[in-house]
Amino acid sequence: MGREAELATAADAVRDLGEGRASVLTIEGEAGIGKTRLVQSIVDDARAHQVAVFSGQAHPFERTRPFGVVAEALGLSRRSPDPRRAAIGVLLGGRSTEASAAPAGDIQYRVVEEVVDLVETLCATGPVLLVAEDLHWADSATALAILTVSRQLSLSPLLVVVTARSSPRPADVERLLDDLAAGHARTLKLQPLTSDDVTVLARDVLGATPGQALTAMLAKAAGNPLWATAMLRSLADDGMLRRAGDTVEVSTSDLPASVSDLVFRRLRDLPPATLELLQIAAVLGDAVSLRDVAAVARQPSADVVRQLGHAFDAQLLDESDERVVFRHQLVHDAIYQHIPPSARRLLHREAAVVLVAAGADRLDVADHLMLGAERGDVQAVTWLRDAAREASSQAPSVTVELLRRAETLLPAGHPEEDAVASEVIQALLRAGQVAEASSRAEAVLARHHAAEVDTPLRVGLLGALALQNRADEVIAVAQASLADSALLGPADRVMILAQQSWALTYSGDPRSGEAVATRGVGIAEQARDAAMTVWALTALLVAVGRQGRFGEALAHGRRAAALAAGSQDMRSLPLQPKFFLGLALFDCDLVDEARAAYREALADEFGSAWWLSETLMADAEASFVIGEWDDAVPGLIAGEQAARGKGNELLVAQSLAYRAIIATGAGDLHAANELTAGIAAPLNGSPLSYNAGVLAFAVSGLKSAEGNHQGAYDVLLRCWRFDAARECRYYHRRLAPDLVRLALALGHHEVAAEVAADVATGSALAPEVPTVRSMALRCQGLVHGDVEAMLEAVALARRAPLLVEHAGACEDAARVLARVGRRDEAAALLTEAWDRYEQAGAGAWAGRVRGELRALGIRPGPRGPRRAPDGGWESLTRTERAVSRLVAEGLTNGAVARQLYISPHTVNTHLRHVFAKLGVSNRVTLATAVNHLIE
């Protein structure tokens, strides 16, 4: 009644779904306003259109059950006859070998990815409706899964419908709804029915028009359809309605003021034994098994069935899927709230005891413990800590809730007080609540505390500070911890030294970072601890790499990867040695090997959640440097999305910088300006961020393209001075050539000479890396007009696949050759640069080279289009074609990702581009188009 606009919107969504288009509907409103009824109409409409429906509902007292709604909707249980669903159920149970071996929090990532893949597989056979009701009671892992499914399957025939009360709602549910809205979900906020709608509703219930007095009484329902119908049924049951012709009138003005009052009135008529069972059922939830009610009541099931018959007769209860359910959640809420608070606590506590004794998982009953235990209940504390350990890998945020409650239950001065506080801090860290983790750790460390928690607290504090990029504090805490090392074991010392090394290196003191990491390697080797040796080696390779000793860093990276491959204990650490090996390979111009390492890291089952954004970004950077810009952009976008999910603003800035460089090279200065606006803060900060080199390269390139050479010079010089003062050579290849060229053009010859001398010194540290030597020779040749140095620089640059270094060396050499009259050689090199730029799609840079050719008096002849057309099969990149073929074969994004060794996030971004270029709207039409084009 009165939902014509909402029904029309829902019908549009179902129609879009039938045409293969994805969408999301969120339905919000107060209890009893009609959310469930609207959902049922959507479900009916979907089924009438041959849509597969999967529906789950959150229930009271289940926020500690990870993925509860998703598991119910998709049938994820270890007892499922479907092996795939059973495997996810095993992960949810947290008892598998792989679950116990995974880093905390990674199983949550694995489950989400498996859920996405399962839903996508279901979509491959036809359109799918996924419903998640009453999210105001849902756990945080469910919210994450729904958001990820909605984002990653936006190109699949999937309609996601979620419902939630307007208030109150947990913060994670508010974030979910905000994120869905930001992703263009349609929000239906159900308003109270109008008086005319209520009259129509009453006529439907009564079979006659309500009279004036009854209409006035129904106005007290304030447009809530549940309350209005409950009012009518109560009046009818009590004989208070009389029919007069075509109208029905009321014979009393005495009416309960709310649904709760109405339920109370009905409760008064029930036998005491029935009321007691109703209260137990309400404590257990809004949909419970009779077996559980009987167990908590300690009564035979037959007696329970008989006594609850009175509640069925009073229309308080109903049956659904072999469970007893309250007729409406407001009925449940009314009965639950009618129980005195002290009695509620006792019943929750008793329910927990009985259900655990009956074999229920601690996570399934943890909410009862949280609601039923009182301060001083040490047994409840033990149970909650056990439940928290079960949840730690599946849903870190649930772990935080459990441990917070355990902490409040401990009596003051209890011997386990510090241990529980330490567990809370570790849980906060794993859940990403790093600011609170660090502040709480500092507070405990500042007071007298148990000796056995000192080291875990210090290690946790270091991790939290590192994730917040608070390098100075990391260094100070590490120094203090190592100075008081009586309780530190070798592994603890290595972990602290590794954190200290990274902080020193990234804050601008790589030499000290190297010294600290070297100490760590020595301790780990002496202890014969492979895992800790890997930690120390990764810290060491970063430190020496920042100093420009790239070959040495690669040796450390190869050793760390080999140790990890031969060790059985690496899975206990959120570390990805293959990712760090990839970084070292990349710095040595071994781009193909680096990409293979990144993709092995992405394919690795463990550690992927921790390093996803970093690995995606590194692989996209590799596509950028070799000139595969069409493939780089989707990877950069996917990496940025993953980085935003982790709150890693430095990586977000890095993605924006590379995309700005691509936009500048292509000549889209408007887009480049928009992108660089997002990196102003880290580039203008003091001190500069550790990735300022690439940010400066992006901004200076844009300024040069706009003719602001002084501005470009100032940006590069500031970054160069910052790195030079700290002996960081990592970004020399990005900064030095442009800085030397601009310095000479602006008359700053002493700066150009200084930079050339510095990079010459740096090249001696990595003589095996072609582009490092090439860069040094370029700078020397520009400063001294040395033709031979420039030609050797070009020869070296040709040995590496790097676009900017190769084409840039050709351009610089051509300018020097032209000045000494060697025009033919200059023209040949400019043509070589022109080819590389056109192949990458850097039209503006190619245009610059054409201008230089014309300045030599050479008129470049017309060429056929080097860039792919805007649409059709020929417009697709190599990767886009591969993705299209695999999708046409029916593979899911996850399966495509595994075959191509990329991320599902990147596959999704590629598909968006493919859909736009081929003019298709769904995977079915894509498959048809691909098969036709291939034939």
Side-chain angles (χ1 to χ4, degrees):
M1 299 294 179
R3 302 297 182 208
E4 289 78 11
E6 291 84 355
L7 286 168
T9 299
D12 288 344
V14 174
R15 184 174 59 253
D16 289 345
L17 179 62
E19 296 173 359
R21 290 192 292 273
S23 60
V24 178
L25 284 179
T26 66
I27 302 173
E28 303 176 30
E30 64 181 83
I33 202 67
K35 299 185 294 297
T36 296
R37 185 65 192 86
L38 180 58
V39 167
Q40 188 57 54
S41 72
I42 297 172
V43 168
D44 292 343
D45 188 19
R47 285 183 171 144
H49 287 83
Q50 309 304 310
V51 173
V53 177
F54 300 90
S55 182
Q57 182 180 16
H59 300 282
F61 324 130
E62 287 191 354
R63 275 189 58 81
T64 58
R65 182 185 169 213
F67 298 100
V69 179
V70 175
E72 178 185 326
L74 298 175
L76 307 179
S77 166
R78 62 169 64 90
R79 292 182 291 275
S80 172
D82 174 21
R84 188 172 192 174
R85 287 175 167 85
I88 303 175
V90 169
L91 286 176
L92 289 174
R95 295 193 181 90
S96 68
T97 302
E98 59 180 334
S100 60
D106 203 46
I107 292 298
Q108 174 172 281
Y109 169 80
R110 288 282 313 287
V111 170
V112 170
E113 290 297 301
E114 292 291 342
V115 165
V116 170
D117 206 60
L118 173 60
V119 175
E120 189 179 5
T121 302
L122 296 171
C123 291
T125 62
V128 169
L129 169 61
L130 178 63
V131 177
E133 289 199 76
D134 297 327
L135 286 185
H136 45 276
W137 282 320
D139 62 284
S140 56
T142 285
L144 174 63
I146 291 170
L147 178 62
T148 308
V149 165
S150 302
R151 281 179 172 172
Q152 290 198 28
L153 301 185
S154 59
L155 301 176
S156 297
L158 173 68
L159 171 58
V160 177
V161 175
V162 301
T163 73
R165 289 184 184 175
S166 303
S167 65
R169 295 192 296 226
D172 49 10
V173 174
E174 288 286 1
R175 285 193 298 272
L176 169 64
L177 296 175
D178 288 344
D179 289 340
L180 291 176
H184 308 295
R186 285 173 282 190
T187 300
L188 304 180
K189 295 188 176 181
L190 301 190
Q191 302 299 324
L193 299 182
T194 65
S195 58
D196 290 343
D197 291 331
V198 173
T199 298
V200 174
L201 177 62
R203 188 184 302 126
D204 184 69
V205 172
L206 300 172
T209 303
Q212 184 176 0
L214 180 55
T215 299
M217 182 174 286
L218 288 172
K220 297 178 182 179
N224 186 298
L226 176 72
W227 179 214
T229 53
M231 226 186 257
L232 292 170
R233 286 174 180 149
S234 177
L235 290 168
D237 291 344
D238 293 344
M240 297 295 180
L241 297 178
R242 66 176 185 276
R243 187 161 184 145
D246 293 333
T247 63
V248 174
E249 197 54 273
V250 64
S251 60
T252 181
S253 59
D254 179 25
L255 187 74
S258 67
V259 173
S260 294
D261 290 342
L262 175 59
V263 172
F264 298 157
R265 177 178 290 187
R266 293 184 182 179
L267 292 178
R268 289 199 299 267
D269 298 330
L270 295 176
T274 301
L275 177 57
E276 180 182 344
L277 290 174
L278 267 181
Q279 291 175 334
I280 290 173
V283 164
L284 290 174
D286 63 342
V288 299
S289 75
L290 284 172
R291 182 183 297 113
D292 288 346
V293 175
V296 176
R298 303 184 188 278
Q299 294 183 25
S301 296
D303 291 349
V304 169
V305 171
R306 179 173 52 80
Q307 288 294 341
L308 286 180
H310 300 291
F312 281 96
D313 293 341
Q315 298 184 347
L316 297 171
L317 295 180
D318 209 336
E319 286 184 293
S320 176
D321 298 329
E322 300 182 355
R323 293 191 296 179
V324 173
V325 298
F326 287 88
R327 288 293 295 268
H328 193 276
Q329 288 164 352
L330 282 177
V331 175
H332 165 270
D333 294 351
I335 295 173
Y336 182 77
Q337 295 298 331
H338 187 62
I339 306 170
S342 58
R344 282 204 303 263
R345 285 195 298 272
L346 288 172
L347 286 172
H348 277 298
R349 184 68 170 80
E350 181 65 13
V353 172
V354 171
L355 294 175
V356 168
D361 288 342
R362 296 197 193 282
L363 276 176
D364 289 341
V365 301
D367 248 323
H368 293 302
L369 284 171
M370 295 176 71
L371 293 166
E374 297 185 79
R375 190 175 181 85
D377 190 338
V378 178
Q379 184 185 38
V381 171
T382 301
W383 285 0
L384 288 170
R385 292 170 74 185
D386 289 343
R389 279 187 280 273
E390 286 186 30
S392 62
S393 62
Q394 304 168 56
S397 56
V398 170
T399 304
V400 171
E401 289 188 48
L402 293 168
L403 289 172
R404 283 191 198 276
R405 182 59 176 148
E407 190 174 36
T408 63
L409 294 176
L410 275 177
H414 191 275
E416 292 293 298
E417 182 179 26
D418 290 336
V420 175
S422 178
E423 290 169 12
V424 172
I425 291 163
Q426 299 295 332
L428 288 166
L429 183 58
R430 290 192 295 269
Q433 300 176 44
V434 293
E436 185 179 355
S438 59
S439 63
R440 291 201 55 168
E442 288 168 334
V444 177
L445 287 169
R447 62 169 170 78
H448 178 73
H449 55 274
E452 60 268 21
V453 304
D454 187 83
T455 298
L457 283 173
R458 290 180 187 275
V459 172
L461 174 58
L462 285 169
L465 293 172
L467 288 170
Q468 297 172 78
N469 297 305
R470 293 161 62 180
D472 291 343
E473 291 168 82
V474 171
I475 295 166
V477 171
Q479 287 175 337
S481 301
L482 293 166
D484 184 20
S485 59
L487 297 175
L488 295 178
D492 298 322
R493 287 202 297 275
V494 173
M495 183 73 77
I496 293 172
L497 287 166
Q499 293 280 18
Q500 184 182 21
S501 172
W502 280 317
L504 287 164
T505 298
Y506 287 127
S507 64
D509 189 0
R511 283 196 171 185
S512 296
E514 178 187 357
V516 169
T518 301
R519 281 179 58 198
V521 171
I523 294 169
E525 289 177 336
Q526 186 175 4
R528 298 183 179 180
D529 188 326
M532 286 301 114
T533 303
V534 171
W535 271 91
L537 285 171
T538 54
L540 183 57
L541 77 85
V542 171
V544 299
R546 284 275 152 173
Q547 297 174 70
R549 289 149 50 198
F550 300 118
E552 193 176 332
L554 178 56
H556 295 316
R558 291 193 190 279
R559 185 182 171 210
L563 278 172
S567 174
Q568 296 300 312
D569 62 352
M570 299 310 300
R571 291 180 172 185
S572 64
L573 299 172
L575 185 69
Q576 184 44 270
K578 293 172 186 173
F579 165 70
F580 283 96
L581 172 60
L583 296 180
L585 288 163
F586 181 86
D587 292 337
C588 290
D589 293 343
L590 302 172
V591 180
D592 287 343
E593 289 184 61
R595 300 192 81 175
Y598 295 147
R599 291 173 178 185
E600 285 182 32
L602 285 171
D604 198 341
E605 291 183 348
F606 296 96
S608 50
W610 291 86
W611 297 100
L612 175 64
S613 54
E614 289 85 350
T615 310
L616 288 173
M617 199 70 70
D619 191 49
E621 182 182 357
S623 294
F624 165 81
V625 299
I626 63 176
E628 294 181 355
W629 286 5
D630 285 335
D631 286 342
V633 171
L636 291 167
I637 293 171
E640 179 188 345
Q641 290 173 343
R644 287 190 188 279
K646 287 177 60 178
N648 190 330
E649 294 302 320
L650 290 175
L651 277 183
V652 170
Q654 201 160 309
S655 172
L656 295 173
Y658 278 113
R659 286 157 58 200
I661 297 166
I662 291 171
T664 301
D668 189 349
L669 301 189
H670 176 73
N673 270 294
E674 288 186 340
L675 290 162
T676 55
I679 62 178
L683 189 56
N684 295 327
S686 183
L688 291 173
S689 62
Y690 69 78
N691 63 348
V694 69
L695 310 187
F697 183 66
V699 171
S700 67
L702 175 59
K703 289 182 180 295
S704 288
E706 294 175 329
N708 183 3
H709 301 299
Q710 183 65 51
Y713 171 77
D714 291 341
V715 169
L716 290 174
L717 183 61
R718 181 180 181 229
C719 193
W720 177 271
R721 294 284 191 222
F722 181 81
D723 281 353
R726 292 157 179 79
E727 297 189 63
C728 295
R729 294 184 170 84
Y730 186 77
Y731 283 114
H732 275 190
R733 281 174 280 188
R734 287 282 177 265
L735 301 173
D738 285 354
L739 180 55
V740 167
R741 191 183 312 107
L742 286 166
L744 292 172
L746 294 170
H748 303 298
H749 296 276
E750 71 289 350
V751 172
E754 172 196 333
V755 172
D758 199 355
V759 295
T761 301
S763 70
L765 301 175
E768 68 285 347
V769 183
T771 57
V772 170
R773 291 167 57 200
S774 173
M775 169 198 58
L777 288 166
R778 279 173 70 187
C779 292
Q780 175 188 326
L782 286 169
V783 170
H784 301 294
D786 187 338
V787 172
E788 297 309 315
M790 297 302 291
L791 291 175
E792 187 178 354
V794 171
L796 285 165
R798 287 174 180 148
R799 289 167 51 186
L802 279 61
L803 163 71
V804 173
E805 287 75 359
H806 174 202
C810 289
E811 283 193 82
D812 285 343
R815 295 185 187 106
V816 175
L817 285 166
R819 283 199 294 268
V820 297
R822 296 165 65 172
R823 297 160 56 88
D824 291 343
E825 293 171 85
L829 289 176
L830 287 173
T831 302
E832 189 174 333
W834 186 12
D835 286 340
R836 285 299 306 267
Y837 287 143
E838 284 202 329
Q839 289 166 3
W845 293 352
R848 180 181 67 211
V849 173
R850 285 197 303 272
E852 293 182 44
L853 283 167
R854 285 193 293 270
L856 292 176
I858 298 170
R859 299 295 177 188
R863 292 187 174 188
R866 301 298 299 269
R867 289 284 292 145
D870 293 333
W873 183 254
E874 294 303 318
S875 70
L876 305 186
T877 67
R878 184 176 67 253
T879 303
E880 288 170 352
R881 291 182 187 183
V883 168
S884 299
R885 288 191 180 99
L886 293 172
V887 168
E889 293 174 12
L891 273 65
T892 65
N893 285 6
V896 173
R898 287 188 288 275
Q899 286 216 18
L900 299 181
Y901 296 99
I902 56 179
S903 160
H905 303 70
T906 310
V907 172
N908 197 47
T909 307
H910 280 303
L911 277 177
R912 288 182 181 279
H913 292 178
V914 169
F915 278 30
K917 290 178 180 180
L918 297 185
V920 298
S921 60
N922 57 61
R923 298 167 80 98
V924 174
T925 53
L926 171 62
T928 302
V930 169
N931 291 330
H932 175 72
L933 289 166
I934 291 175
E935 291 172 2

